[in-house]
Amino acid sequence: MTVDAPFHQITENRAARWLVTVDHATNRVPDWVGGGDLGIAPAEMGRHIAYDIGALGLAQKLATHLEAPIIWSDFSRLVIDPNRGEDDPTLVMQLYDGTVIPANRGISAAGMEERLARLHRPYHDALELLAARSSDTVICAIHSFTPRLRGRAPRPWEVGILHSHLDSRLALPLIAALEAEGICVGDNEPYTGHLVGDSIDRHALGPGRPNVLIELRQDLIEAESGQSDWAARLAFILVATLRQSGL
C-alpha cells in the first residue's frame, strides 16, 4: 500500500479467527480533497469529530495479543464515513458536534462518487476479503468515544459494547465478563448498536459472522500506556468469552 492508500492492514503470521477492524483510525484528508484541507482549524481536526482518538494504537496492540489480522481506514470520517452505508444521509457530514465542515457543504454528486470510489469502497472491499478468508471469522470492531459532547452530560462508561438485536451472541457474554472485572460498561451506550448499512451490518450481520463492537472512552486510551493496558485486558477477556460462548 502507498502512503496515500485508503486503508492499511497487517495479516502476515496472523492465523486467529479474530479480525480486528478500525473504521475511524486516522484524521487524514487526502490531497485531492480540498488540497488536503476541509476548511476547519487544525485543532478541530484533532478532535473526536475527525477520528477515533486512541483507537488505532489500541487495536494494533489488541490484534498482536490475539494474533489476529487487522485492517484500518486511513482517511478522516469527515471526508466520508466508512461506518455508514452509501445511502446514509450522514455519510458526509456538514455539521458535527457544533463544527461546520466547509468543504462538505453542497458537495456535488460527482464529488460524493469520487470519495466513495477512492476511499469508502476500497476499504470495504478489502475488509470483506479479509473477513471471507475463513468460514469461522469473528469480527471485533474497535472505536472510541469522547468523554463528553458539547452541551451534554459526561459519559461515565469506560467501555461501551454495541450490538444489534439481530446478533448478541458474543456481545452479551462480553458485557457480563467486563462487568465481572469491575469495568464500567455501557450496554449499547453511548450509542445504539444497530445501524443499517454500517460496517457490522455489512460484514457481520449479513453474512452471519459472530461479532462485537467495542467503544473505549478516549481519555483512557489517548496515551500509549493506556492503549497497552486496555489491549492486554481486552485480549484476555475476549479470548475467554469466545471460548466459553461455543461460537
Side-chain angles (χ1 to χ4, degrees):
M1 280 291 167
T2 65
V3 173
D4 197 42
F7 66 89
H8 302 281
Q9 57 188 15
I10 300 173
T11 60
E12 189 174 359
N13 299 320
R14 303 288 181 94
R17 293 179 60 190
W18 296 98
L19 169 59
V20 178
T21 69
V22 196
D23 290 335
H24 302 142
T26 79
N27 60 356
R28 187 178 73 89
V29 179
D31 289 343
W32 51 269
V33 178
D37 188 347
L38 294 176
I40 65 176
E44 292 293 281
M45 288 301 297
R47 295 179 62 219
H48 69 95
I49 62 172
Y51 72 120
D52 281 358
I53 296 167
L56 178 57
L58 169 73
Q60 290 174 331
K61 293 173 175 59
L62 175 63
T64 297
H65 282 293
L66 296 174
E67 298 182 344
I70 178 174
I71 182 169
W72 66 92
S73 69
D74 194 8
F75 52 91
S76 173
R77 65 166 148 225
L78 293 182
V79 176
I80 190 166
D81 194 334
N83 197 33
R84 296 292 184 271
E86 293 193 15
D87 59 350
D88 193 300
T90 64
L91 181 64
V92 174
M93 295 287 281
Q94 299 186 36
L95 174 68
Y96 195 170
D97 195 22
T99 298
V100 174
I101 319 301
N104 293 347
R105 296 182 68 178
I107 186 172
S108 66
M112 181 76 79
E113 177 60 28
E114 183 176 25
R115 296 187 195 187
L116 283 166
R118 297 181 68 170
L119 300 172
H120 193 280
R121 290 174 188 148
Y123 170 69
H124 282 287
D125 289 347
L127 197 165
E128 182 55 33
L129 281 175
L130 279 180
R133 78 196 191 285
S134 173
S135 61
D136 64 351
T137 296
V138 181
I139 294 180
C140 177
I142 297 295
H143 292 255
S144 70
F145 63 92
T146 183
R148 186 173 190 169
L149 290 171
R150 287 176 173 171
R152 304 287 185 86
R155 292 163 160 175
W157 310 284
E158 296 172 284
V159 179
I161 302 299
L162 308 192
H163 54 99
S164 169
H165 62 283
L166 299 175
D167 184 4
S168 296
R169 293 174 295 168
L170 187 56
L172 293 180
L174 180 60
I175 290 170
L178 291 167
E179 289 177 337
E181 293 293 318
I183 296 169
C184 182
V185 185
D187 182 348
N188 273 334
E189 296 285 359
Y191 316 108
T192 58
H194 182 67
L195 181 63
V196 174
D198 71 2
S199 292
I200 288 293
D201 183 54
R202 179 171 179 171
H203 300 290
L205 298 180
R209 297 179 180 118
N211 63 90
V212 65
L213 191 157
I214 303 176
E215 292 261 4
L216 273 291
R217 206 176 66 214
Q218 290 170 352
D219 59 312
L220 301 176
I221 58 169
E222 189 168 6
E224 187 173 356
S225 58
Q227 296 166 14
S228 297
D229 290 346
W230 277 98
R233 295 176 76 183
L234 289 173
F236 178 81
I237 296 170
L238 282 166
V239 169
T241 302
L242 180 61
R243 183 176 63 248
Q244 293 165 9
S245 73
L247 291 169

